Amino acid sequence: MTTLATLFRSALSNIEPGDDAKHAAEAHKQVSDAVTSDDRLRDLGADPVLIGSYKRDVSIRRVKDVDVFVRLTGADDSLLPGDILTHTIEVLEDAFPGRVTRQHRSAMVDFPEFDLSVDVVIARPCVNHPDDHWQIPQKIEEDGRATWVETNPTRMTELKTQANQQFLLSDDDPTSGAYVPVVKLVRQIRRACDIDKPGGFYFEVLTYHAFQDEEPTENTIADYLTAVLRSVADALATRAKPADPTLDGRTISTSATTAQLEEAASRMAEAATLAEEALKAEDTCVSAAKWRQLLGTTKHTDDPEHVFPLPDFCNTDGTRKSSSTITRGAPAVPAGNDRYA
Amino acid sequence: MTLTEGPEALLWRENLVEAGFSDDGAHLRGPVTWEHPQGGLITARVEMEAENFPFAPPQVRILDPGVPLDFTFHVDRPAPRHTLGNLCLWEDSWSADVAPWLEAQTVLDRVAHWLRRTALGWPGDRACDLERYLPREDTLVLYDSAVPLTGLARAKKDGNGAVSVVARSSGPPPGAHQPKDRRRPKRAGKPPEDIGWVWVCDVGAVDAPVRSWSDVLALLGADADKVEHEVELTRTRWMLIHYSRGGVPGVLALHLSYTSAAGVEVRSCEAADTSVETRMLRAGASAGDLADVRVAIVGCGAIGSFVADMLFRSGLRHLDLRDHETLRPGNVVRHVAGLDEVGRPKVEAVRRALCRIDPNTSTVSVHASGVWTLDQAVALLQRHDLVVDATGSARATSLLSSAAELTDQVVVSACVQRDGDVVRVDRMPLRSSETYLPPLTRDDDDNQPRERGCGSPVSLTPPGAVLAAAELACRVIIDEVSGSRSLPGSLADVRQPQPEAPFDRLGLVSTRTTPGSGPE
């Protein structure tokens, strides 16, 4: 068993959003300020909140887009989604001239200086469960009408927090949650496997279910990741839609085609096998090379960078460098221990 | 450049994971089984960090000892913003290739041993390190163990920030604890500042660390109320506590600050003994034998000044320094005295340098004159156990050599040759069947530099060669005056091989190592 905890720590550091986090916060603030300064939206109780992987602390470098959920707390079922979206786009266009794009149920604001965009989604309290969750337009028709679908993005944040408190590396440390790091690593592996669809949230939900189903109790991130990856791969292989953890009886939908789902299942099965081999390897360099292969390189960065660091004493093919270049400090003291200076 | 951990560090962590430890890449947490003296086998939970592994031992903290256990000795104060202190598992410095903590199991065994010793109360422990259990203050507190004090004493702060504990009736330090020497040079800067009272006491053996003001008061016994009153009046702000652990004496220096809101805040300071005995601990094993030996040094230039310095540091106190020259700025890079002594006679400059090692130079005599006649040389030899010739002058050496033959007293002559390529020491007179190494002829060099306004050419000998010659001379001197007399009549250290045998190879050369030389 080779778990290489310090190198996993570095790998996780390498996929942290870094500056993207600051930029996302600043972009969110600018969008929120624009939305809440409009009289009509303010009268509708506009209350913007960040959602998505960034909000849940499971985003990875690089963050290309963040989602803002404009909760219209005063809206009722008479609200026409197309009308209010059009108005919201006008408000945003005034604030961000030439940088706003209408999408089929949201508005996208571009922040070229941050190299990211903000998706603004309007939401109303759920007609049937106004205290529990929200509804967003599914697809807006030309007449401005739309069907509304239920969603509860903030619930996923709560579930993330619970899972991270439940699955710990050490019971001695309540902050040693393994769930969030493993979600990030699974997201990175998805990118490393070049899986476009299903998207990152789909894999996050699969990971959530893997934790709930397997209830792993491990001492290292390597152990947790290996156990979860196999469960995720198996779930993909069934091609069953995963249950939506935030809404009873609902499932997570994906626009992935059957072929894309099959391809994703195949890639993740390979990834799970690679993780098992890396964990099982007796030799540090062999193991490190496999973990490095599994986690691939950063995406959307200026230059792709390996996520998993290779130990200085290892070659990229998993062999060891000659000992003379690796034994720092040994033999460290030619004169022996009886020394004074 | 960011280095990943070495193979030994990664393997060490894997071994701990196999032993049931969790590893988040920074902290390892897991079980340690240890034997309680009464409770049998207990499982503790510990936390480790190994940031500088294998060069430093892992930092180990006890999360849960498994049974109620008071941590006493051998555990550091928690770092700021931490609640647990690191265990002191290994006090010694180890080479990374043989350090005992390289094996994970050895670390676990050591922690188990630490827990058991803690449960036993550290019987026989001799560590006098009470200062580590209190917040630290970066002030050095000086005291003289040769002048026992109890009760109230005065605290005086010198220009370096060190605080000296002196008797209540003592005059201004420094040197209150030193024998008076009127010729001691004045110290630069402000005189020591009187900063209040010090409570000095001896509490005998201690069986628990001092972690708070209440612990301090508990040590003071019947004096506690009196001292607390003094501290609350902010008159007494320092404390010097003599104690012992396992029969070994220790001293704890404390700085006390009082406010009505916070009470007494106590911080520990580094304490240091200024007694001659302590200051000479590092002078070498023969220091005691040298204390009454009388040595004259003729020539207090480059080699002579460092010979005087090394002999004085080695414990030799009866020195007679002779040189007629004045210290020039150009001398300083190869002289024990600094630029601040330029303009003084070299002998006085050397004596003042010795004062910086020990202010008591009352047995060091200085003479700003040379040895010009055989009578003078003979008289000098008769008054001393040994005379050092560090003149670099053939005339002076021949005078001293002749005097040595006449009196059968020892002269040790030291010199540097070939611009520092060879350093050499000869002892005169030779003992029966001894011979000298052959002489080295001078390489005349018309291009030798001359100092402006000074007639003699300047030797290009580097300072290192001067120190090497002085060190070799001191070896011969100490060998002679200590009665060992094991070294040959000539010794040379060849720093750059010369064309002539036996100086054609690197290293130490003597008549014993010279082919063809007779047995001594």
Side-chain angles (χ1 to χ4, degrees):
Chain A
M1 296 279 279
T2 305
T3 58
L4 303 177
T6 52
L7 302 181
F8 265 100
R9 191 177 182 86
S10 297
L12 283 161
S13 172
N14 291 340
I15 56 173
E16 275 297 301
D19 284 346
D20 289 343
K22 283 186 289 187
H23 296 159
E26 175 59 25
H28 167 245
K29 182 177 182 304
Q30 290 183 27
V31 168
S32 296
D33 288 347
V35 167
T36 56
S37 62
D38 177 69
D39 290 343
R40 184 179 172 198
L41 290 172
R42 198 166 53 234
D43 289 346
L44 285 167
D47 180 16
V49 61
L50 264 175
I51 60 170
S53 62
Y54 169 71
K55 171 63 179 174
R56 293 191 298 278
D57 297 325
V58 293
S59 60
I60 58 174
R61 183 173 169 231
R62 285 231 26 245
V63 178
K64 294 293 286 182
D65 52 67
V66 295
D67 301 320
V68 171
F69 203 56
V70 181
R71 297 178 295 193
L72 303 175
T73 57
D76 55 26
D77 58 0
S78 67
L79 184 75
L80 286 175
D83 181 40
I84 196 64
L85 181 60
T86 300
H87 178 73
T88 304
I89 288 170
E90 287 168 0
V91 169
L92 292 171
E93 187 61 39
D94 283 346
F96 309 102
R99 290 158 51 188
V100 183
T101 307
R102 183 176 187 130
Q103 299 187 310
H104 73 278
R105 61 177 178 184
S106 64
M108 185 181 78
V109 184
D110 193 26
F111 284 84
E113 70 272 33
F114 298 153
D115 191 20
L116 62 76
S117 60
V118 175
D119 277 347
V120 182
V121 183
I122 57 168
R124 70 177 189 186
C126 179
V127 174
N128 299 322
H129 313 92
D131 296 329
D132 288 344
H133 46 264
W134 299 81
Q135 290 178 315
I136 59 174
Q138 190 162 38
K139 185 178 180 198
I140 297 170
E141 305 299 337
E142 285 191 3
D143 63 0
R145 297 182 181 279
T147 53
W148 293 84
V149 292
E150 292 180 28
T151 185
N152 195 351
T154 55
R155 175 66 181 149
M156 198 62 200
T157 306
E158 295 165 10
L159 293 175
K160 176 269 301 187
T161 303
Q162 288 171 12
N164 209 45
Q165 290 169 344
Q166 180 184 352
F167 300 102
L168 300 173
L169 288 173
S170 168
D171 291 341
D172 301 306
D173 180 8
T175 68
S176 66
Y179 174 75
V180 166
V182 169
V183 170
K184 289 183 176 187
L185 291 171
V186 170
R187 280 176 169 265
Q188 173 60 30
I189 290 166
R190 170 186 158 266
R191 286 186 183 178
C193 290
D194 287 328
I195 298 172
D196 182 35
K197 290 182 179 177
F201 181 66
Y202 194 92
F203 277 80
E204 181 182 337
V205 170
L206 290 177
T207 304
Y208 178 81
H209 287 308
F211 270 92
Q212 299 304 319
D213 296 344
E214 305 295 332
E215 294 191 330
T217 305
E218 307 288 356
N219 286 338
T220 65
I221 292 296
D223 285 303
Y224 270 112
L225 178 63
T226 305
V228 165
L229 267 184
R230 177 56 66 193
S231 182
V232 168
D234 290 348
L236 275 169
T238 66
R239 287 192 287 284
K241 285 184 176 178
D244 185 340
T246 68
L247 293 168
D248 289 342
R250 301 273 182 159
T251 56
I252 299 294
S253 59
T254 172
S255 58
T257 63
T258 303
Q260 285 174 318
L261 278 170
E262 286 176 355
E263 181 66 12
S266 171
R267 293 280 176 88
M268 291 308 286
E270 291 168 10
T273 302
L274 189 57
E276 286 157 1
E277 290 173 0
L279 186 65
K280 221 177 279 179
E282 295 289 331
D283 184 85
T284 303
C285 291
V286 171
S287 176
K290 288 182 185 294
W291 290 122
R292 188 182 181 88
Q293 182 188 346
L294 176 69
L295 289 165
T297 56
T298 54
K299 303 295 178 187
H300 313 303
T301 50
D302 292 340
D303 295 308
E305 299 164 19
H306 282 289
V307 169
F308 196 86
L310 200 64
D312 299 328
F313 58 90
C314 298
N315 293 309
T316 52
D317 63 357
T319 57
R320 286 193 176 224
K321 294 177 182 173
S322 61
S323 60
S324 61
T325 62
I326 60 167
T327 49
R328 297 198 298 270
V333 184
N337 271 354
D338 184 16
R339 302 164 68 250
Y340 167 78
Chain B
M1 181 182 183
T2 303
L3 294 171
T4 63
E5 290 173 297
E8 62 290 304
L10 292 172
L11 181 62
W12 183 85
R13 299 187 87 101
E14 299 292 348
N15 288 338
L16 283 171
V17 169
E18 282 189 15
F21 276 64
S22 68
D23 188 356
D24 64 8
H27 301 90
L28 294 128
R29 299 183 179 91
V32 172
T33 302
W34 63 286
E35 188 177 2
H36 190 278
Q38 291 85 40
L41 288 180
I42 303 291
T43 300
R45 300 279 306 170
V46 305
E47 176 182 79
M48 295 190 199
E49 285 180 272
E51 198 175 347
N52 293 316
F53 191 92
F55 300 102
Q59 297 170 311
V60 182
R61 296 175 283 276
I62 304 290
L63 298 170
D64 176 10
V67 289
L69 187 66
D70 287 334
F71 296 170
T72 53
F73 295 104
H74 299 280
V75 56
D76 280 334
R77 287 180 57 77
R81 298 183 300 281
H82 287 73
T83 55
L84 302 170
N86 294 321
L87 309 190
C88 311
L89 295 175
W90 285 279
E91 304 286 348
D92 301 332
S93 164
W94 286 82
S95 168
D97 51 332
V98 294
W101 53 80
L102 290 176
E103 295 293 332
Q105 187 57 50
T106 307
V107 176
L108 300 181
D109 292 345
R110 190 79 173 181
V111 175
H113 180 70
W114 186 97
L115 285 161
R116 180 172 168 77
R117 295 270 287 158
T118 297
L120 288 167
W122 292 94
D125 189 48
R126 299 167 57 145
C128 291
D129 56 357
L130 287 191
E131 63 278 358
R132 79 185 321 156
Y133 304 104
L134 287 163
R136 300 301 297 270
E137 178 170 305
D138 289 334
T139 300
L140 183 66
V141 175
L142 304 172
Y143 67 97
D144 187 349
S145 63
V147 183
L149 300 173
T150 53
L152 285 173
R154 299 300 294 177
K156 306 231 175 185
K157 193 171 200 172
D158 67 20
N160 296 335
V163 170
S164 292
V165 179
V166 298
R168 298 170 71 171
S169 57
S170 171
H177 48 279
Q178 301 295 345
K180 210 162 190 176
D181 177 8
R182 288 180 183 172
R183 296 175 305 163
R184 194 171 62 237
K186 287 180 183 173
R187 292 200 178 189
K190 292 190 298 185
E193 178 191 0
D194 195 322
I195 55 170
W197 296 103
V198 189
W199 181 260
V200 186
C201 58
D202 189 336
V203 298
V206 295
D207 55 9
V210 177
R211 300 182 195 276
S212 64
W213 175 235
S214 58
D215 289 345
V216 174
L217 290 175
L219 281 180
L220 298 180
D223 290 325
D225 289 345
K226 176 184 173 184
V227 174
E228 187 167 37
H229 182 63
E230 276 288 324
V231 173
E232 287 177 0
L233 291 175
T234 68
R235 290 196 303 216
T236 296
R237 296 193 290 149
W238 301 86
M239 192 172 285
L240 195 69
I241 301 174
H242 295 268
Y243 66 95
S244 67
R245 293 265 298 138
V248 176
V251 170
L252 176 63
L254 304 176
H255 183 213
L256 313 166
S257 47
Y258 172 77
T259 59
S260 55
V264 179
E265 185 187 4
V266 55
R267 306 182 82 84
S268 68
C269 306
E270 186 177 347
D273 184 5
T274 62
S275 69
V276 174
E277 184 184 356
T278 295
R279 284 187 286 113
M280 292 308 289
L281 273 177
R282 296 162 177 82
S286 57
D289 299 335
L290 301 180
D292 296 323
V293 171
R294 307 172 72 85
V295 169
I297 299 174
V298 183
C300 288
I303 295 176
S305 70
F306 284 108
V307 167
D309 179 81
M310 271 188 253
L311 290 178
F312 194 73
R313 289 175 190 271
S314 301
L316 207 147
R317 286 293 184 269
H318 295 274
L319 283 172
D320 182 318
L321 309 179
R322 291 181 183 251
D323 197 305
H324 68 283
E325 290 187 342
T326 299
L327 189 71
R328 300 166 58 85
N331 295 140
V332 168
V333 292
R334 289 189 305 212
H335 199 275
V336 78
L339 280 173
D340 54 340
E341 303 293 348
V342 166
R344 294 184 189 278
K346 284 181 177 176
V347 287
E348 179 60 14
V350 172
R351 193 193 65 78
R352 290 168 63 87
L354 301 183
C355 277
R356 294 178 183 275
I357 303 160
D358 186 340
N360 181 11
T361 55
S362 58
T363 53
V364 176
S365 60
V366 294
H367 306 273
S369 61
V371 176
W372 309 115
T373 68
L374 188 58
D375 287 346
Q376 288 173 335
V378 167
L380 194 65
L381 276 164
Q382 287 174 331
R383 288 200 303 273
H384 294 89
D385 298 304
L386 186 146
V387 172
V388 180
D389 165 33
T391 59
S393 156
R395 171 183 167 181
T397 302
S398 61
L399 272 174
L400 290 166
S401 172
S402 300
E405 292 289 345
L406 287 170
T407 60
D408 202 26
Q409 291 284 95
V410 176
V411 171
V412 171
S413 181
C415 65
V416 173
Q417 299 181 290
R418 302 272 168 91
D419 289 339
D421 288 351
V422 177
V423 301
R424 173 167 175 157
V425 176
D426 297 293
R427 172 177 39 74
M428 309 158 197
L430 288 176
R431 288 191 276 272
S432 168
S433 76
E434 283 184 331
T435 57
Y436 288 125
L437 289 167
L440 270 177
T441 55
R442 182 200 298 265
D443 279 344
D444 287 328
D445 182 0
D446 294 337
N447 296 321
Q448 267 193 305
R450 291 171 185 271
E451 192 179 333
R452 186 177 298 175
C454 183
S456 307
V458 175
S459 164
L460 294 177
T461 298
V466 169
L467 281 168
E471 193 278 333
L472 192 60
C474 285
R475 281 163 63 185
V476 173
I477 295 162
I478 292 172
D479 176 71
E480 188 66 27
V481 300
S482 66
S484 173
R485 294 183 179 135
S486 60
L487 297 178
S490 285
L491 269 174
D493 183 4
V494 180
R495 295 156 57 85
Q496 284 289 336
Q498 303 298 302
E500 306 94 323
F503 306 102
D504 54 352
R505 61 183 179 80
L506 209 59
L508 209 57
V509 178
S510 75
T511 43
R512 287 181 191 158
T513 60
T514 307
S517 66
E520 295 172 12

